[in-house]
Amino acid sequence: LSTMTTAEVVRDIIIPETRERRCAMVDLFEGGPREPVCLMSHWWGNSFMALVEAIMGHASGQLLPAENVLSEEELEKTYWLCIFGVNQHVSICGTAHNPCDCGSPKFLNGHPCCEMDKFGLMMQHIQEHALAIDRQMVTLTRIWVLKELQTALAMSIPTEFNGTMSFSGAFADEQHLPSVREAEASRQEDRHLILRDIEGTVGIDVFDEQIRRKVREEKA
């Protein structure tokens, strides 16, 4: 796990482990799903262990905590992660990037059974939001991350960044962050869906300024 990205964990562990039951990973956890307190936004291209460290840091309030120094209450805190909460077998498996022969039907954006376009509804049930940031801040170029962050801000859900940001190079300051228009997604249909939603509500310019203001706060 120490060298794997989150995407590799999904491909090599989560999808194979859940293939027989064609279920979400959370359904295999001891005790089954639990009500989450916090949604942790993250970029699948980042290190999986960096995501784990971000969760531990958020739960404990420490930058790089060791597991053995977390209290029982901190260890019991529940986080919602799309990699575990979404059933990958009705979403993304069976492709060259995520091979699987389960044969499950796929439900895409707009379908009642789609699990990939319901994040806004899910966020109505959480108390906190956090973002696992990478040093180069590539995370802030991913459109789902930006949308989840903006949704949390709009809903006045307490939100914070976890990880070490490096304001250098292309992102010397928050004004150099690309517009959400330039943000990337693994699936272009997700990108189009989110941009349409933004343009039909707050607008691109307001959205971009909300993100930059939050990055400014975290930088301070």
Side-chain angles (χ1 to χ4, degrees):
L1 285 176
S2 61
T3 62
M4 298 177 74
T5 66
T6 299
E8 290 168 340
V9 168
V10 172
R11 181 193 67 200
D12 298 339
I13 298 177
I14 294 176
I15 289 176
E17 288 292 322
T18 55
R19 180 198 173 281
E20 183 176 354
R21 288 182 53 186
R22 305 178 188 181
C23 63
M25 191 70 179
V26 69
D27 293 316
L28 301 184
F29 289 170
E30 183 178 355
R34 295 170 56 188
E35 189 76 18
V37 172
C38 178
L39 179 142
M40 177 67 77
S41 296
H42 58 281
W43 167 43
W44 284 28
N46 199 18
S47 158
F48 177 72
M49 290 311 299
L51 173 59
V52 173
E53 290 172 357
I55 292 171
M56 292 171 62
H58 184 266
S60 66
Q62 303 174 50
L63 183 59
L64 291 173
E67 184 178 356
N68 59 4
V69 302
L70 267 67
S71 68
E72 186 167 337
E73 180 181 1
E74 291 165 347
L75 289 171
E76 285 292 315
K77 187 169 183 177
T78 51
Y79 288 80
W80 195 93
L81 297 176
C82 58
I83 61 172
F84 296 140
V86 169
N87 182 346
Q88 308 301 336
H89 296 282
V90 298
S91 304
I92 64 167
C93 83
T95 65
H97 291 297
N98 296 291
C100 178
D101 61 357
C102 70
S104 297
K106 302 298 182 282
F107 302 109
L108 304 181
N109 294 345
H111 193 285
C113 295
C114 178
E115 299 187 15
M116 298 180 289
D117 62 355
K118 306 295 191 296
F119 291 96
L121 293 174
M122 187 277 300
M123 290 183 74
Q124 296 176 18
H125 301 280
I126 63 167
Q127 303 170 33
E128 303 171 14
H129 173 257
L131 192 155
I133 193 76
D134 62 294
R135 180 175 289 274
Q136 285 71 40
M137 298 195 297
V138 176
T139 303
L140 293 177
T141 69
R142 306 302 297 182
I143 200 162
W144 269 118
V145 170
L146 294 177
K147 179 57 178 170
E148 290 165 6
L149 174 57
Q150 188 270 340
T151 299
L153 295 172
M155 297 174 65
S156 299
I157 299 173
T159 185
E160 64 181 65
F161 291 5
N162 293 91
T164 303
M165 294 183 291
S166 176
F167 283 88
S168 60
F171 297 151
D173 60 62
E174 70 278 359
Q175 293 305 321
H176 288 84
L177 290 173
S179 168
V180 68
R181 287 192 186 93
E182 304 163 38
E184 299 177 350
S186 299
R187 303 185 325 132
Q188 283 305 303
E189 55 264 47
D190 287 347
R191 187 172 178 277
H192 297 322
L193 174 74
I194 291 171
L195 287 176
R196 281 198 306 270
D197 178 67
I198 294 170
E199 290 166 348
T201 53
V202 297
I204 298 292
D205 291 342
V206 171
F207 183 100
D208 287 345
E209 179 53 32
Q210 288 175 337
I211 298 300
R212 289 175 180 140
R213 187 184 306 123
K214 180 59 182 176
V215 173
R216 221 165 21 242
E217 292 172 0
E218 292 290 329
K219 182 182 178 182

